[in-house]
Amino acid sequence: YTELEPALCQELRKIVEALVVPGKGLLACDESPSSMEKRLDEIGVENTENNRRDYRQMLFSADKSQFSKYISGVILHHETVYQKTCDGVELIELLRQRDVVPGIKVDKGLVPLFGAKSEKTTEGLDSLQERCIQYKRDGCHFTKWRCTFAISDSTPSQLAMVTNAHVLARYASICQSARMVPIIEPEILNDGEHGINRALEVHEEVLSILFRTLQEHHVYLEGMILKVAMVLSGIKNSANCTPQLIAEHTLTALQRTVPPAVPVIAFLSGGQSDSDSVVNLNAICAYEGTKPWPLTFCYGRALQLAAMQAWKGNEENVPEAQAIFLERAKLCSEAASGQVEP
Ligand code: 13P
């Protein structure tokens, strides 16, 4: 059950409704300045505040009607919320013009979880409520927080699963109290040699502990978004899993652990190639089996990398980069409807 007032529950459900639209997904472009360093370095562009602004302005000023056809929400980094285009228009105003709901990453990144073997937790709970209240005033209506879990013979440990479940639950209840819909992201990483069955086992354990903990914190399940990885074999595992097998394992993990009260499950791309991220999402969304939740994408790299390569920091490349970004968004949208031809 929830302790939240009916009016607050209704407000959260309204935000969810604006985000969960058939054929639309979310764009994650909340990379921190230090993550942008790596990406911009690859295209030979200096990692300055202005260049990060120019890059995001390129994405958000792509054709209005196509943008809003495929994307319902965009996750921003703090810096982007307060940036303006070279003509003085707030970047989040470009999103509003495209009928897109702005969201904000509120975690402050991964830190070592002392007492667990090389595992991580996520910090940022201090003063989270004040930050959420401010972001809400400044036009954001949903938030994101990511915890990660690494698979090895001895991990994720019980300590990591329980600690991160509490961190995610506390984050979610603070955001809901500040009238923001939390995206809860327990990302199970696919580094390593494990097979797909081990990934299934870990997804089931992590998600069942997470939902038990969300219930203990009385998080309002109808007012949240779950963001997960697909169930894949490790990147160092030589077995080649078919999209069908990935879909079957992913849905098995979700059916066994995620209550139907959750209004949407959005997948992250997690370093999959552009084509895998489309084909696998399509197989999951076309899978014939119990799927009580809408399913969609919340992609970072799989929506952006090709466009960034085309952009290269050069004003002249903007139209081509935008066309590539919109083509990726269209493909992901078709995959979310299970309509991509195999
Ligand atoms: P990727 O789709 O690149 O994995 O990023 C999604 C994201 O927001 C991770 O937190």
Side-chain angles (χ1 to χ4, degrees):
Y1 64 91
T2 176
E3 303 274 347
L4 300 182
E5 296 291 326
L8 178 49
C9 292
Q10 196 186 356
E11 179 172 354
L12 295 172
R13 285 201 309 272
K14 254 188 96 177
I15 299 167
V16 167
E17 257 169 47
L19 290 167
V20 185
V21 181
K24 296 195 193 190
L26 297 141
L27 163 65
C29 54
D30 55 332
E31 301 85 359
S32 62
S34 66
S35 304
M36 285 297 281
E37 173 91 30
K38 229 177 12 201
R39 308 268 165 89
L40 291 174
D41 197 46
E42 280 165 18
I43 55 165
V45 172
E46 202 189 338
N47 184 27
T48 62
E49 194 178 332
N50 250 349
N51 287 339
R52 294 192 293 271
R53 190 277 312 269
D54 288 352
Y55 169 67
R56 282 153 175 161
Q57 178 179 336
M58 178 277 288
L59 291 177
F60 303 167
S61 52
D63 181 80
K64 265 191 200 140
S65 71
Q66 289 190 67
F67 198 114
S68 60
K69 195 164 165 200
Y70 310 128
I71 307 284
S72 59
V74 174
I75 314 172
L76 304 168
H77 184 268
H78 172 89
E79 163 181 281
T80 317
V81 178
Y82 301 101
Q83 279 175 329
K84 293 185 173 161
T85 66
C86 28
D87 310 322
V89 181
E90 288 179 0
L91 290 191
I92 59 172
E93 179 54 29
L94 294 178
L95 298 178
R96 283 194 213 104
Q97 290 168 2
R98 283 157 181 75
D99 243 345
V100 165
V101 186
I104 172 85
K105 186 239 302 285
V106 293
D107 72 63
K108 293 199 164 176
L110 300 171
V111 288
L113 175 62
F114 297 119
K117 267 194 189 156
S118 326
E119 296 185 274
K120 304 253 169 71
T121 187
T122 306
E123 63 183 2
L125 288 174
D126 284 1
S127 70
L128 178 60
Q129 192 180 29
E130 288 86 331
R131 289 194 287 129
C132 284
I133 290 169
Q134 188 61 46
Y135 288 133
K136 180 83 183 185
R137 275 194 204 118
D138 296 336
C140 298
H141 297 284
F142 69 100
T143 59
K144 176 188 119 172
W145 183 293
R146 171 174 176 258
C147 286
T148 60
F149 301 86
I151 302 184
S152 71
D153 290 345
S154 58
T155 64
S157 64
Q158 191 70 13
L159 175 62
M161 292 190 285
V162 170
T163 303
N164 284 327
H166 277 279
V167 166
L168 284 165
R170 180 98 185 97
Y171 143 75
S173 68
I174 292 170
C175 289
Q176 290 187 333
S177 78
R179 301 164 45 221
M180 303 270 251
V181 167
I183 295 186
I184 299 177
E185 181 179 358
E187 179 177 1
I188 294 162
L189 302 166
N190 72 333
D191 306 327
E193 294 172 12
H194 57 270
I196 194 166
N197 285 323
R198 173 79 179 126
L200 171 64
E201 208 173 272
V202 171
H203 272 80
E204 284 187 42
E205 277 202 274
V206 166
L207 291 172
S208 60
I209 293 173
L210 173 65
F211 277 97
R212 164 78 196 161
T213 313
L214 295 177
Q215 299 281 23
E216 284 168 357
H217 285 247
H218 305 146
V219 170
Y220 180 52
L221 298 184
E222 291 82 352
M224 61 162 277
I225 291 172
L226 179 67
K227 175 167 172 177
V228 287
M230 298 174 192
V231 177
L232 306 169
S233 57
I235 39 179
K236 291 191 203 131
N237 185 297
S238 52
N240 208 353
C241 296
T242 61
Q244 190 61 20
L245 192 73
I246 290 166
E248 198 182 299
H249 282 69
T250 301
L251 283 162
T252 299
L254 297 172
Q255 286 160 357
R256 288 176 174 168
T257 55
V258 183
V262 171
V264 64
I265 301 175
F267 293 96
L268 57 96
S269 58
Q272 295 184 75
S273 69
D274 279 5
S275 85
D276 286 354
S277 66
V278 168
V279 171
N280 291 334
L281 179 66
N282 188 68
I284 292 170
C285 296
Y287 189 78
E288 287 182 14
T290 310
K291 286 179 295 189
W293 342 259
L295 302 172
T296 191
F297 58 92
C298 179
Y299 285 173
R301 285 162 283 183
L303 279 171
Q304 293 185 68
L305 286 190
M308 191 181 246
Q309 288 291 339
W311 176 64
K312 289 200 171 61
N314 187 339
E315 181 67 31
E316 283 171 16
N317 298 334
V318 165
E320 191 197 339
Q322 289 176 331
I324 291 173
F325 164 64
L326 291 171
E327 182 56 30
R328 289 295 307 154
K330 178 170 183 269
L331 276 171
C332 293
S333 155
E334 288 167 0
S337 310
Q339 283 171 359
V340 174
E341 293 299 324

